[in-house]
Amino acid sequence: GAGVSQTPSNKVTEKGKYVELRCDPISGHTALYWYRQSLGQGPEFLIYFQGTGAADDSGLPNDRFFAVRPEGSVSTLKIQRTERGDSAVYLCASSLNSYNEQFFGPGTRLTVL
Amino acid sequence: TQLLEQSPQFLSIQEGENLTVYCNSSSVFSSLQWYRQEPGEGPVLLVTVVTGGEVKKLKRLTFQFGDARKDSSLHITAAQPGDTGLYLCAGAKNNDMRFGAGTRLTVKP
């Protein structure tokens, strides 16, 4: 079956621009997670959805970051006024529920010039 | 400050050698997972440990969860070049997961 997919795989943007990163979870998975991974580091938790609602958004670094999951499936991570420090790989993962194994997508590599 | 500290950060060994990597925290976790990540890909789950003192074996890999559920170790026997990758531990707490920075393992043929 299809795994978690993320689009685009690579995104290059200029400082100050707005970007949207998309995650398609495994069908039927109610839990969805966004992480950010910088070079040489482990994934850093950003936000966790259970269904349509954000159950924990404590990892979002500031109010330039926002994520939605309006129908409980696809999720979009939105970054406003991008900064060079936002450059990283953004990983999405889904799981059957919050206590199960997380399946990761390949990530979106964001580069802010 | 990382909630989970992994050591060593980097490890380079020859094929056939044994190794142990560690994952330590001051926090108690309901479960702890080990993942392996290769370049350009997302992490892939290797094992989940739940019970304090639990030991799980996966072929040449042995995972141990500390009695107090605060730390874990991964031991690889007779390492192979295919074991090369970033090994991440992740602790489950309050319905979400926190990752360590990982141990980057290189196994030379």
Side-chain angles (χ1 to χ4, degrees):
Chain A
V4 177
S5 62
Q6 293 187 246
T7 54
S9 56
N10 281 284
K11 176 70 177 179
V12 180
T13 190
E14 294 179 342
K15 180 175 178 292
K17 298 289 188 182
Y18 168 82
V19 296
E20 289 189 353
L21 311 180
R22 177 187 167 108
C23 173
D24 282 82
I26 293 172
S27 177
H29 280 194
T30 63
L32 185 145
Y33 305 78
W34 283 100
Y35 297 88
R36 177 170 68 176
Q37 187 172 25
S38 300
L39 193 63
Q41 297 296 312
E44 173 195 0
F45 170 78
L46 296 177
I47 186 170
Y48 151 61
F49 287 90
Q50 183 61 44
T52 60
D56 183 351
D57 64 357
S58 62
L60 294 177
N62 52 59
D63 61 6
R64 294 187 298 105
F65 289 75
F66 189 71
V68 295
R69 195 186 185 200
E71 298 179 358
S73 179
V74 170
S75 177
T76 305
L77 178 65
K78 308 180 181 190
I79 311 175
Q80 298 177 324
R81 304 183 304 279
T82 52
E83 299 177 357
R84 292 193 180 89
D86 298 335
S87 296
V89 174
Y90 288 81
L91 292 165
C92 174
S94 71
S95 64
L96 196 58
N97 60 50
S98 61
Y99 296 99
N100 287 100
E101 173 186 358
Q102 293 186 28
F103 293 85
F104 282 82
T108 292
R109 181 174 297 279
L110 176 66
T111 303
V112 182
L113 301 176
Chain B
T1 304
Q2 293 276 354
L3 184 62
L4 287 156
E5 297 290 338
Q6 290 192 244
S7 61
Q9 186 178 0
F10 297 96
L11 184 58
S12 181
I13 61 171
Q14 292 294 134
E15 182 176 4
E17 292 183 0
N18 301 331
L19 66 114
T20 303
V21 298
Y22 301 92
C23 173
N24 295 296
S25 176
S26 57
S27 295
V28 176
F29 297 102
S30 55
S31 67
L32 192 141
Q33 298 182 334
W34 283 92
Y35 289 80
R36 179 163 160 258
Q37 185 178 23
E38 299 196 46
E41 298 180 7
V44 175
L45 181 69
L46 297 174
V47 78
T48 300
V49 285
V50 177
T51 306
E54 183 176 2
V55 176
K56 281 193 174 179
K57 292 194 174 185
L58 184 66
K59 297 183 180 178
R60 294 177 294 103
L61 278 60
T62 301
F63 304 85
Q64 185 161 8
F65 201 13
D67 291 342
R69 305 207 319 274
K70 293 182 179 181
D71 52 79
S72 181
S73 64
L74 158 59
H75 181 81
I76 302 179
T77 304
Q80 299 176 359
D83 296 328
T84 293
L86 178 67
Y87 288 82
L88 296 158
C89 67
K93 194 164 183 159
N94 299 329
N95 295 331
D96 54 37
M97 197 76 68
R98 296 290 187 267
F99 281 81
T103 292
R104 188 164 296 282
L105 172 65
T106 303
V107 182
K108 300 175 186 176

